[in-house]
Amino acid sequence: MTRATAQCPSCGAPVEWVSAASVQTTCRYCTSVLVRTDVDLRAVGVKSTVPPTVSPIKLGTKGTFAGRRFTVVGRIVYAYERGRWNEWHLAYDDGGTGWLSDAQAEYAVTEQVPAPTLPSAQEARPGMTVDVNGERFTVSTLTTASYAGTEGELPFEKWDAAVMHFADLRGEGGRFGTIDHSESPPLLFTGKWASFDELNLSELREPEEVKAAARTLACPNCGGSVTVHLADRAVNVVCQHCKAVLDARTPGFTVLQAYHARVTHTPTIPLGTAGTLNGEAWEVIGFQVRSITVEGREYPWNEYLLHSPRRGFQYLTEYQGHWTLGATVRGVPRRTRGARPTAELDGRGFRHFQRANATTTFVLGEFPWEVRAGDLALVNDYVAPPFMLSSEETPGETTWTLSEYMTGAAVWKAFGLQGTPRVPVGVYASQPAPVRTPARATWAAALAMLGLLLVLAVTRYAQGGRTVAADRFEYQPWVAEAQQGRVIGPLVLGGRTSNVEVGVRAVLDNSWGYFDFALADSAGHTTQFGGEVSRYEGVEDGERWTEGSPSRTVKVPSVPPGRYWLRVEPQGDKPFSYEVTVRRDVPSGWMYLVAALLLMLPPALTLVRGGMFEAARWAESDYAPGE
């Protein structure tokens, strides 16, 4: 493809256009801003200077996104109250153009689309929903910005914009958008969030160029040396000597806040410590102490700001020995309101845990946003252990963060810290239950074993015990007691050592009977036992009643095989007939009941333990019992 070329009217150097859609460019030799009239160039009489950057992207960087190859041909640096960000102008190989937003190493690829009726800069507010060509977006951030510099090719003639209003939009499925209110009607850009790896970038800035962007100056408050590593991304830096909060955007630093508190905090992980988490190298560059106050009691926690040239920023927090690692969320969670609000993100449901005002009480190190002691934010936490979804609301901005619980041991290993981590206190909001086997799996295994036990019990009872003897007798009270005894046998008991069940059933008429039994073997060893039967009935107040039972069984356990005799001696107040049955190896239901209880014990303990753990978790929430 033939590119348009011309000479810079300011210095005579050659100027080449990469994108036919570009209107403005910057001479790479004299930094004059040039406007294209298609063949000739016109210098507008200004020099373009851009701040140094730690972004790995530069002019000439190539990449691929959504199947389209592009080249970075231009850059706008926007400055706003809480920081700066880059908008890289993309020239696609298919002739189209777009933008790559690079804000704190969070990337979004967009292009201009026809704009429907959009809210004005005065109407837009965080949380507002906007329908864009059939898509639903939520306004996440309102920003008032200005140009901090431009370089390379841009698709319009503009080199100095003092006040520009933007409304950032977030949608489902990683969709992203921006309403640019610098023109009337406003411009609309939509696209998607992209990870660094998804951009497939090449011809990036060398690491040495990034390191060269660092600067060291004297603190205007105490004179101590202060180094800024993040260049264009740093907004605040805190002097490690006097703890003064300094504005990193000014050439010689400006004191934003002097430190007057008596109590200082020493980070457990020293600033500058490098470590590896989830396969990515990170450096600790910032530290702050934040707290909430509930019923007059203060609950502080520590936050560490981690930076990676490729992944941007993540947040490592520690509260009473509990650690979480989080990053900002690209999409907008779907929320339900009510007595117990919920949130949903990427198909995972979260339950609201607490709502509180978080206050920053101490800061140290470097931050890509403006932060000082006394800063306030309204925080809402939603939990789905081991994850926590949190929103922070400040005037003009709502930020969502997704964090995951991790152990202190993992933090110590990642950063090579000395000693041992602090023992966690209590149960943390997103701490997973310390049960190795999920309760559902435990119950499933127990029910499967219970089913097998039931089959065995049914089979065993179907077989029943083996009847070895049965006989009928008469009892007559007027016969001498010595003549009432009866002997059944010999009883041949074979097989293994097992029980013997003796059952008696009498035909009674408002009377009772008692039976003495003696089971003797051929060696003369005797086991004695007995049992009572009775049967009474009548009519009282027109209603029939009965009581007692005419039958009784007695079981003799662990009877070895052999030859036995059973002697029966009845007693009673009236004559009756009775039947004696002797059975061998009769199933015992209590054994199966005990086995069933033992099988259900592990899942029951898991359930109880989990319930106690969850009770301890929610006792610290807005939904504690009695709250």
Side-chain angles (χ1 to χ4, degrees):
M1 176 171 43
T2 303
R3 296 181 177 180
T5 58
Q7 286 185 320
C8 173
S10 296
C11 69
V15 177
E16 184 179 67
W17 301 86
V18 177
S19 173
S22 297
V23 173
Q24 174 183 309
T25 191
T26 305
C27 177
R28 58 177 176 158
Y29 297 97
C30 67
T31 69
S32 294
V33 177
L34 310 175
V35 177
R36 175 179 179 176
T37 57
D38 226 281
V39 176
D40 299 322
L41 294 180
R42 174 171 55 88
V44 300
V46 298
K47 301 288 185 178
S48 176
T49 57
V50 292
T53 180
V54 294
S55 173
I57 302 172
K58 65 178 182 178
L59 298 185
T61 293
K62 298 182 182 300
T64 305
F65 184 71
R68 301 175 70 190
R69 290 186 53 81
F70 61 80
T71 302
V72 176
V73 298
R75 172 190 176 208
I76 302 174
V77 182
Y78 287 102
Y80 71 115
E81 182 183 8
R82 298 181 66 85
R84 286 192 290 259
W85 81 92
N86 297 315
E87 290 287 347
W88 301 97
H89 183 212
L90 309 181
Y92 289 101
D93 288 359
D94 59 15
T97 63
W99 295 91
L100 173 58
S101 177
D102 174 7
Q104 300 177 10
E106 290 187 344
Y107 304 101
V109 179
T110 62
E111 59 183 82
Q112 187 174 351
V113 296
T117 301
L118 298 170
S120 66
Q122 294 73 30
E123 295 171 332
R125 64 184 186 279
M128 172 186 285
T129 57
V130 179
D131 290 325
V132 177
N133 302 324
E135 289 188 86
R136 185 179 182 182
F137 287 87
T138 301
V139 177
S140 61
T141 308
L142 300 177
T143 306
T144 299
S146 61
Y147 275 15
T150 64
E151 64 175 330
E153 302 177 21
L154 301 177
F156 42 72
E157 182 180 340
K158 186 180 293 186
W159 54 88
D160 183 18
V163 178
M164 306 180 70
H165 299 284
F166 298 95
D168 284 346
L169 310 175
R170 296 179 184 240
E172 295 183 1
R175 295 288 290 168
F176 175 80
T178 297
I179 302 175
D180 181 354
H181 291 102
S182 62
E183 298 190 19
S184 183
L187 306 177
L188 177 64
F189 300 83
T190 62
K192 293 192 69 174
W193 292 99
S195 67
F196 186 87
D197 293 337
E198 288 174 329
L199 295 171
N200 302 294
L201 299 174
S202 62
E203 301 184 36
L204 296 166
R205 195 182 305 274
E206 294 295 330
E208 291 73 18
E209 297 181 67
V210 176
K211 292 180 181 179
R215 58 193 176 106
T216 301
L217 295 172
C219 172
N221 190 58
C222 71
S225 61
V226 179
T227 301
V228 178
H229 299 88
L230 295 183
D232 61 324
R233 292 178 183 166
V235 174
N236 278 176
V237 62
V238 181
C239 175
Q240 61 179 335
H241 307 287
C242 67
K243 309 300 186 295
V245 179
L246 309 176
D247 188 345
R249 296 167 293 186
T250 56
F253 297 149
T254 300
V255 178
L256 296 175
Q257 185 182 55
Y259 185 74
H260 299 294
R262 295 181 180 179
V263 179
T264 61
H265 300 267
T266 302
T268 302
I269 309 175
L271 297 186
T273 302
T276 302
L277 287 169
N278 300 325
E280 185 70 27
W282 299 90
E283 181 182 1
V284 180
I285 63 170
F287 170 77
Q288 62 176 323
V289 179
R290 307 178 72 191
S291 68
I292 63 173
T293 301
V294 180
E295 296 181 350
R297 181 179 177 184
E298 186 178 5
Y299 296 86
W301 72 91
N302 300 330
E303 285 190 6
Y304 297 84
L305 178 63
L306 312 182
H307 177 255
S308 162
R310 286 164 48 90
R311 303 294 181 187
F313 300 94
Q314 289 196 354
Y315 315 96
L316 185 64
T317 67
E318 184 268 333
Y319 173 72
Q320 295 189 346
H322 300 275
W323 294 82
T324 62
L325 179 64
T328 54
V329 173
R330 295 171 177 174
V332 177
R334 184 177 299 174
R335 288 182 291 174
T336 63
R337 305 187 184 276
R340 194 68 175 267
T342 62
E344 182 180 327
L345 179 69
D346 298 332
R348 179 181 287 115
F350 295 80
R351 291 191 293 169
H352 188 257
F353 189 82
Q354 70 177 1
R355 174 187 177 95
N357 287 306
T359 305
T360 299
T361 59
F362 181 81
V363 291
L364 193 66
E366 203 168 330
F367 294 87
W369 64 85
E370 193 171 305
V371 57
R372 355 183 160 176
D375 282 353
L376 288 172
L378 177 62
V379 178
N380 279 281
D381 294 327
Y382 300 78
V383 297
F387 299 100
M388 176 185 287
L389 184 63
S390 303
S391 70
E392 290 198 16
E393 298 179 30
T394 56
E397 184 176 18
T398 299
T399 303
W400 287 89
T401 303
L402 179 65
S403 60
E404 183 175 4
Y405 187 88
M406 62 187 306
T407 63
V411 175
W412 255 242
K413 180 179 179 181
F415 291 96
L417 302 178
Q418 299 298 316
T420 57
R422 176 184 177 184
V423 177
V425 178
V427 176
Y428 188 65
S430 62
Q431 183 180 356
V435 180
R436 295 184 178 180
T437 305
R440 184 176 299 178
T442 307
W443 278 105
L447 290 176
M449 295 297 294
L450 193 63
L452 179 60
L453 180 66
L454 181 61
V455 172
L456 293 175
V458 170
T459 302
R460 181 76 174 86
Y461 272 89
Q463 295 174 349
R466 179 171 57 87
T467 301
V468 296
D471 209 342
R472 293 182 64 86
F473 305 98
E474 295 288 336
Y475 170 73
Q476 297 174 345
W478 53 80
V479 177
E481 184 175 335
Q483 300 177 5
Q484 296 284 2
R486 301 287 185 267
V487 176
I488 303 175
L491 308 174
V492 180
L493 306 181
R496 60 185 176 85
T497 298
S498 183
N499 61 54
V500 170
E501 181 186 86
V502 177
V504 59
R505 182 176 183 83
V507 180
L508 302 172
D509 180 17
N510 286 313
S511 61
W512 60 273
Y514 187 85
F515 296 87
D516 284 315
F517 298 103
L519 182 65
D521 61 13
S522 56
H525 300 113
T526 303
T527 301
Q528 295 182 333
F529 50 96
E532 182 181 0
V533 294
S534 64
R535 173 72 176 183
Y536 295 93
E537 60 182 346
V539 177
E540 184 176 350
D541 297 331
E543 293 187 5
R544 190 169 190 81
W545 58 270
T546 61
E547 66 178 22
S549 174
S551 60
R552 170 66 63 90
T553 60
V554 181
K555 194 174 292 184
V556 182
S558 303
V559 179
R563 291 167 60 86
Y564 292 84
W565 287 263
L566 178 67
R567 179 172 178 81
V568 183
E569 294 182 352
Q571 301 176 38
D573 59 345
K574 293 181 181 181
F576 58 82
S577 62
Y578 62 95
E579 180 182 9
V580 178
T581 304
V582 181
R583 301 172 67 202
R584 171 72 160 168
D585 196 19
V586 178
S588 297
W590 67 268
M591 297 177 59
Y592 293 96
L593 179 60
V594 170
L597 292 175
L598 291 176
L599 284 175
M600 300 307 293
L601 187 60
L605 290 177
T606 300
L607 184 64
V608 172
R609 187 180 180 187
M612 295 174 62
F613 192 85
E614 288 302 312
R617 181 201 312 282
W618 291 99
E620 299 297 323
S621 74
D622 290 347
Y623 308 94
E627 290 288 334

